[in-house]
Amino acid sequence: MKDYKMETKCVQGGYTPGNGEPRQVPIVQSTTFKYATSEDMGKLFDLEASGYFYSRLQNPTCDTVAAKICEMEGGTAAMLTSSGQAASFFSVFNVAGCGDHVVASSAIYGGTYNLFAVTMKRMGVDFTFVSPECSEEELNAAFRPNTKAVFGETIANPALIVLDIEKFAKAAHSHGVPLIIDNTFATPVNCRPFEWGADIVTHSTTKYMDGHGAAVGGCIVDSGNFDWMKYKEKFPGLCTPDDSYHGVTYAEKFGKEGAYITKATVQLMRDFGSTPSPYSAFLLNLGLESLHVRMKRHCENAQAVAEFLEKHPKIEWVNYAGLPSSKYYQTAKKYMPNGTCGVISFGVKGGRANAEKMMKNLKIAAIETHVADARTCCLHPASTTHRQMNDEELVAAGVSPDLVRYSCGIENAEDLIADLEQALAQI
């Protein structure tokens, strides 16, 4: 599938049935797998053979869908997780532990910010948050001798700041660490971060990839480009024997193409058990098959709605990278020439009170914590997803108190605009 176009990968990637085999990806709803001898199973535990023995680590359905996403992103190995949050955690914790440091963009999803700033801090991992618009000098100044990774989002949720991936990749690599990019909002249909220097990509597959609000999930994809052994002093977990797994040295045994995902699977998934359901993976695959079609419609709708809002007298500001007036317009054109995503952020004149009143009067768009769905939805992040942040942290994350996150579905754009128009008329 490597040489096929994205549309073909969305539909047929990851799975090629043999003669007389199911055309659709089979759901292997089993916790365990039978073997003829203990020796056969022992080879799996020693990582000397490929196969399955317990679905907490790996499952055929989940691996098939992960392989499709891997092909879509242009990576060498991938794994599914039970949620996007689990993917974010695994992606960092796989290379950074107690006493280590990570540089992260301040404009990231509120749940990820809390994971990093609060929960992982209690685990001994320290984070420095930098503005995604920082200068190269400011970015480089954030690194420490114990820095193990850099983390950012292609399109920040909900600030919609478009990250300069090349700038962050250059800084990460000059300090000998990988760049991890959450590509949830853009999806590989609109952006492939590996082509711009990213090393690891994560997704909340719950969003556009699933697209129907049916299954929570996450995914991690490795580009296979980062040379762990070149910086083996920085990454002992990958470059020295793992006593908890028969003394295997992942970077030596599986090379730079497979070491990272193998370690995350046999070590982190084994111990934390953030296991995706085979049925959820099956539903995710159904969503992936239409992703390329849906993303085009999401972007078309968002462009039309953003242009309408920008001209409305009751709207204070609009942030959508598809607008020529956006400060991220040129950056978006560089990394995502075919469109960004279907999510818009805007402020209603009169602040939070008028924003909440407008939202209550919407008939098509539902108020939900969800985003990036086939159905249009909206949210007031400052009072929901980002409510753990103080005002200073909100500003750093690009989330003003009046910000409304509006996620355009794949309905008719004229209907969405009419719905917004009548809701704004009631303010």
Side-chain angles (χ1 to χ4, degrees):
M1 280 284 168
K2 181 180 179 181
D3 297 324
Y4 287 100
K5 302 297 184 184
M6 180 60 67
E7 295 84 350
T8 305
K9 292 178 180 178
C10 286
V11 177
Q12 297 206 24
Y15 177 65
T16 303
N19 190 40
E21 292 183 345
R23 187 64 190 89
Q24 182 55 273
V25 173
I27 303 172
V28 183
Q29 195 67 47
S30 180
T31 61
T32 49
F33 302 83
K34 176 185 177 295
Y35 286 89
T37 69
S38 296
E39 288 77 14
D40 289 337
M41 184 174 284
K43 292 177 183 177
L44 302 179
F45 278 91
D46 287 338
L47 303 180
E48 296 294 341
S50 61
Y52 303 92
F53 54 84
Y54 197 49
S55 281
R56 191 178 78 229
L57 277 81
Q58 289 179 286
N59 173 279
T61 306
C62 299
D63 281 359
T64 297
V65 181
K68 172 178 283 192
I69 297 173
C70 187
E71 289 178 5
M72 292 165 64
E73 284 287 8
T76 58
M79 65 186 294
L80 296 188
T81 61
S82 58
S83 68
Q85 193 78 327
S88 295
F89 172 60
F90 278 19
S91 71
V92 173
F93 200 63
N94 203 34
V95 292
C98 184
D100 291 332
H101 172 256
V102 176
V103 175
S105 168
S106 60
I108 54 177
Y109 168 58
T112 308
Y113 182 93
N114 195 74
L115 167 68
F116 292 168
V118 179
T119 302
M120 292 191 72
K121 186 175 183 179
R122 293 204 304 266
M123 301 171 74
V125 184
D126 195 18
F127 286 79
T128 295
F129 295 94
V130 298
S131 168
E133 300 169 355
C134 65
S135 66
E136 289 188 16
E137 292 74 21
E138 290 170 328
L139 178 55
N140 281 297
F143 286 80
R144 303 175 188 172
N146 62 337
T147 300
K148 298 300 178 70
V150 179
F151 187 97
E153 294 181 1
T154 312
I155 305 172
N157 175 14
L160 302 184
I161 294 170
V162 180
L163 192 74
D164 187 343
I165 300 172
E166 282 192 316
K167 179 178 74 175
F168 275 73
K170 179 182 176 182
H173 296 158
S174 69
H175 292 273
V177 301
L179 173 61
I180 304 170
I181 291 290
D182 182 332
N183 198 31
T184 296
F185 268 17
T187 80
V189 170
N190 285 342
C191 183
R192 303 225 303 175
F194 294 155
E195 296 175 359
W196 302 100
D199 301 290
I200 309 295
V201 159
T202 68
H203 288 278
S204 170
T205 61
T206 317
K207 310 303 190 297
Y208 286 122
M209 284 188 164
D210 172 275
H212 300 86
V216 174
C219 186
I220 309 172
V221 186
D222 183 7
S223 68
N225 292 328
F226 194 85
D227 189 349
W228 305 104
M229 290 301 291
K230 183 179 179 180
Y231 307 100
K232 57 184 178 180
E233 296 81 10
K234 279 183 175 288
F235 305 104
L238 282 156
C239 302
T240 59
D242 179 3
D243 292 335
S244 76
Y245 219 99
H246 319 295
V248 64
T249 300
Y250 299 104
E252 289 181 352
K253 188 173 183 63
F254 300 100
K256 63 182 183 179
E257 296 81 9
Y260 180 90
I261 292 297
T262 301
K263 177 179 180 292
T265 300
V266 304
Q267 189 184 85
L268 300 187
M269 190 63 82
R270 174 197 65 191
D271 293 347
F272 288 99
S274 298
T275 311
S277 156
Y279 183 62
S280 292
F282 174 82
L283 294 175
L284 168 59
N285 188 61
L286 294 181
L288 290 171
E289 289 179 353
S290 64
L291 182 62
H292 58 293
V293 181
R294 290 185 287 106
M295 287 306 295
K296 182 178 180 181
R297 184 58 174 266
H298 283 298
C299 293
E300 290 172 350
N301 282 357
Q303 187 70 32
V305 169
E307 290 173 0
F308 161 77
L309 290 171
E310 190 173 41
K311 298 173 184 176
H312 200 285
K314 293 184 179 180
I315 297 298
E316 188 73 48
W317 56 270
V318 180
N319 183 14
Y320 184 66
L323 294 173
S325 60
S326 169
K327 64 192 295 187
Y328 309 112
Y329 182 75
Q330 292 301 329
T331 307
K333 283 295 182 184
K334 173 182 176 178
Y335 294 115
M336 292 160 275
N338 297 320
T340 56
C341 66
V343 183
I344 303 163
S345 62
F346 62 91
V348 180
K349 288 183 178 178
R352 180 181 295 202
N354 277 354
E356 291 178 348
K357 186 174 182 180
M358 183 275 298
M359 290 169 66
K360 288 178 182 177
N361 288 308
L362 289 169
K363 292 179 168 50
I364 295 177
I367 299 174
E368 303 175 6
T369 54
H370 195 38
V371 68
D373 197 317
R375 296 167 289 270
T376 296
C377 56
C378 61
L379 187 73
H380 183 248
S383 60
T384 53
T385 56
H386 287 63
R387 68 182 298 124
Q388 298 93 343
M389 294 184 177
N390 58 39
D391 287 348
E392 185 177 315
E393 291 170 335
L394 283 170
V395 171
V399 183
S400 58
D402 65 340
L403 185 150
V404 174
R405 184 183 72 185
Y406 187 88
S407 176
C408 295
I410 56 174
E411 304 93 344
N412 182 278
E414 293 181 7
D415 289 339
L416 298 181
I417 291 171
D419 186 33
L420 283 162
E421 195 163 29
Q422 63 83 24
L424 287 165
Q426 298 183 58
I427 298 175

